[in-house]
């Protein structure tokens, strides 16, 4: 794929070679994201960061990634603060904002909305999540994390054994991740969810067509026993008809230190796209795992910046220029990154 000027809307756009390109550029971004070096390659460029659904890490990491390349960020959050609340169409909003920006990141509650917006945009649009449909940049950062965790254990993505746990029906991160995993070979995938919240059938079929061994189950303890990655997800309350309906499933599959010690292999990596629901009654990923060295959730969030920097550098075609005119940072940066 030729990245310059392209929208990033779905993981279906990628071939395996594209993933390798993105990950190689992400590696190149590490010194900048880890606060060792500074680059101003996107000085003067503007990111339109448009988030019409709640977000902390995706919104802030898109913005930070752009800032770390030297660019500036203009932001809109929520419908109520934008002209969409006055009835403006996605088409008009896209025409307007793309006149003010060089690239746009967008999150919206309707499946397909970011693609509709992109078709009217005059600049590249990166999908930050469109309803329950897709979250391609999250899937890329998840895969980048899986690759680096497996590398540290002498393994690889091909042949990976992974359990995906929780709300697989509405969780867009696992939808995109499963599609992306179809570019790799010989995976064993355990889909652990209540029957009502199963992974959509077309995605399961796509994985089986890719020759992956896929099991759908309600049995957490047996199916986390022999996996490299246990990927937990939050019940996507906002996609249910009511809070009461979401309550039926909240807390159904809990991973905590005790369950981990009893059932998982000692090296199993624990992942979650975050936010985890830490309220009593939910706790799908318990805080008592915080000191477990295999808990990769904050390595995932750190990797979000690296991967998003790579995507900006690729779609704005500055990869070759990033290291030019770079310098070391001149402030105290500590040792906050693992
Ligand atoms: C996820 C999302 O928004 O889909 N969060 C994120 O972007 N890291 C997962 C979630 O909200 O549960």
């Amino acid at each position: 794929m030729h990245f310059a000027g392209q929208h990033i809307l779905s993981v279906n756009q990628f071939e395996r070679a594209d993933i390798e390109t993105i990950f190689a550029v992400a590696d190149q971004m590490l010194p900048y994201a880890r606060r060792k070096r500074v680059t101003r390659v996107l000085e003067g460029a503007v990111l339109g960061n448009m988030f019409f659904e709640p977000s902390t890490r995706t919104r802030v990491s898109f913005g930070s990634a752009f800032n770390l390349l030297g660019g500036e960020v203009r932001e809109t959050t929520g419908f109520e603060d934008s002209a969409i609340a006055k009835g403006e169409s996605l088409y008009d909003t896209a025409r307007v904002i793309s006149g003010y920006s060089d690239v746009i990141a967008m999150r919206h509650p309707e499946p397909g909305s970011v693609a509709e917006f992109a078709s009217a945009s005059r600049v590249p649009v990166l999908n930050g999540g469109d309803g329950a449909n897709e979250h391609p940049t999250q899937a890329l950062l998840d895969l980048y994390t899986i690759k680096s965790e497996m590398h540290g254990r002498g393994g690889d993505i091909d042949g990976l054994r992974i359990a995906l746990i929780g709300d697989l029906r509405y969780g867009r991160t696992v939808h995109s991740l499963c599609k992306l995993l179809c570019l790799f070979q010989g995976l064993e995938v355990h889909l652990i969810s209540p029957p009502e919240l199963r992974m959509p059938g077309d995605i399961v079929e796509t994985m089986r067509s890719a020759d992956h061994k896929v099991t759908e189950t309600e049995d957490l303890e047996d199916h986390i026993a022999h996996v490299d990655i246990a990927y937990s997800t939050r019940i996507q309350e906002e996609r249910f008809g009511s809070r009461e309906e979401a309550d039926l499933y909240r807390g159904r599959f809990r991973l905590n230190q005790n369950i981990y010690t009893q059932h998982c292999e000692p090296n199993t990596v624990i992942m979650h796209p975050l936010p985890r629901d830490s309220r009593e009654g939910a706790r799908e990923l318990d805080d008592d795992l915080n000191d477990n060295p295999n808990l990769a959730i904050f390595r995932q969030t750190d990797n979000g910046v690296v991967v998003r920097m790579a995507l900006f550098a690729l779609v704005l075609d500055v990869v070759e220029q990033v290291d030019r005119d770079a310098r070391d940072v001149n402030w105290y940066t500590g040792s906050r990154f693992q």
Side-chain angles (χ1 to χ4, degrees):
M1 159 178 176
H2 182 66
F3 284 91
Q6 294 296 313
H7 304 303
I8 306 291
L9 300 173
S10 161
V11 293
N12 291 335
Q13 291 170 249
F14 302 128
E15 292 175 13
R16 188 153 168 170
D18 302 321
I19 305 299
E20 275 153 26
T21 302
I22 295 168
F23 288 180
V25 179
D27 288 343
Q28 189 193 335
M29 298 301 148
L30 277 166
Y32 305 101
R34 303 296 195 243
R35 311 297 201 278
K36 291 189 165 62
R37 305 269 295 159
V38 184
T39 176
R40 306 297 304 163
V41 70
L42 287 185
E43 189 158 27
V46 175
L47 165 69
N49 211 18
M50 314 202 47
F51 274 71
F52 297 116
E53 267 194 331
S55 174
T56 301
R57 74 221 82 237
T58 306
R59 180 171 57 84
V60 177
S61 69
F62 265 122
S64 300
F66 208 72
N67 288 149
L68 287 166
L69 289 166
E72 307 225 1
V73 183
R74 292 282 169 274
E75 210 156 75
T76 302
T77 51
F79 289 116
E80 59 287 354
D81 292 327
S82 93
I84 291 182
K86 298 182 185 175
E88 187 165 59
S89 65
L90 280 176
Y91 176 90
D92 286 1
T93 310
R95 297 289 296 175
V96 173
I97 299 299
S98 53
Y100 302 158
S101 320
D102 297 284
V103 58
I104 294 171
M106 186 178 187
R107 169 172 289 187
H108 192 286
E110 277 302 311
S113 54
V114 180
E116 183 188 335
F117 180 93
S119 66
S121 171
R122 294 176 268 169
V123 299
V125 175
L126 278 59
N127 183 0
D130 60 327
N133 184 35
E134 277 233 28
H135 196 343
T137 65
Q138 177 74 39
L140 288 168
L141 78 87
D142 286 342
L143 196 66
Y144 184 76
T145 306
I146 291 171
K147 187 181 158 163
S148 95
E149 298 288 325
M150 292 308 292
H151 185 72
R153 291 163 176 75
D156 204 349
I157 304 174
D158 291 317
L160 187 80
R161 303 165 303 161
I162 183 168
L164 302 166
I165 308 156
D167 184 351
L168 308 183
R169 177 177 180 187
Y170 296 118
R172 55 191 169 199
T173 73
V174 285
H175 297 168
S176 290
L177 181 58
C178 283
K179 293 185 203 170
L180 207 48
L181 290 174
C182 292
L183 297 176
F184 296 82
Q185 283 168 1
L187 271 70
E188 195 182 297
V189 184
H190 301 258
L191 302 174
I192 307 169
S193 72
E196 301 83 359
L197 301 183
R198 276 199 191 141
M199 179 68 69
D202 58 321
I203 300 179
V204 175
E205 273 321 299
T206 310
M207 284 195 289
R208 291 202 169 120
S209 311
D211 273 346
H212 296 333
K213 186 169 169 257
V214 185
T215 314
E216 296 188 88
T217 179
E218 276 185 86
D219 183 342
L220 176 79
E221 294 173 357
D222 271 4
H223 286 267
I224 55 171
H226 302 290
V227 293
D228 303 300
I229 309 278
Y231 186 112
S232 166
T233 64
R234 177 182 68 90
I235 298 298
Q236 306 284 291
E237 177 180 337
E238 62 277 34
R239 317 247 179 260
F240 286 79
S242 66
R243 203 196 149 113
E244 291 67 39
E245 200 191 335
D247 282 340
L248 296 174
Y249 307 105
R250 229 192 291 272
R252 183 87 71 89
F253 296 111
R254 288 194 169 134
L255 194 53
N256 57 32
Q257 187 57 51
N258 191 24
I259 293 176
Y260 182 89
T261 312
Q262 276 188 42
H263 298 281
C264 292
E265 291 173 358
N267 254 341
T268 300
V269 178
I270 308 159
M271 294 177 64
H272 191 301
L274 301 184
R276 54 179 158 169
D277 189 342
S278 295
R279 291 171 291 191
E280 191 64 50
R283 303 234 172 113
E284 70 273 4
L285 195 60
D286 205 287
D287 291 350
D288 71 359
L289 287 158
N290 286 357
D291 293 327
N292 185 322
N294 294 312
L295 184 75
I297 56 178
F298 302 116
R299 295 193 284 275
Q300 280 173 273
T301 55
D302 286 346
N303 286 338
V305 173
V306 179
V307 167
R308 292 182 175 115
M309 287 177 81
L311 290 171
F312 286 133
L314 283 160
V315 300
L316 294 175
D317 202 15
V318 293
V319 172
E320 303 301 325
Q321 300 170 59
V322 171
D323 297 334
R324 238 183 266 161
D325 300 325
R327 61 168 174 83
D328 291 342
V329 300
N330 53 7
W331 62 88
Y332 172 76
T333 59
S335 56
R336 70 192 114 150
F337 298 105
Q338 289 181 334

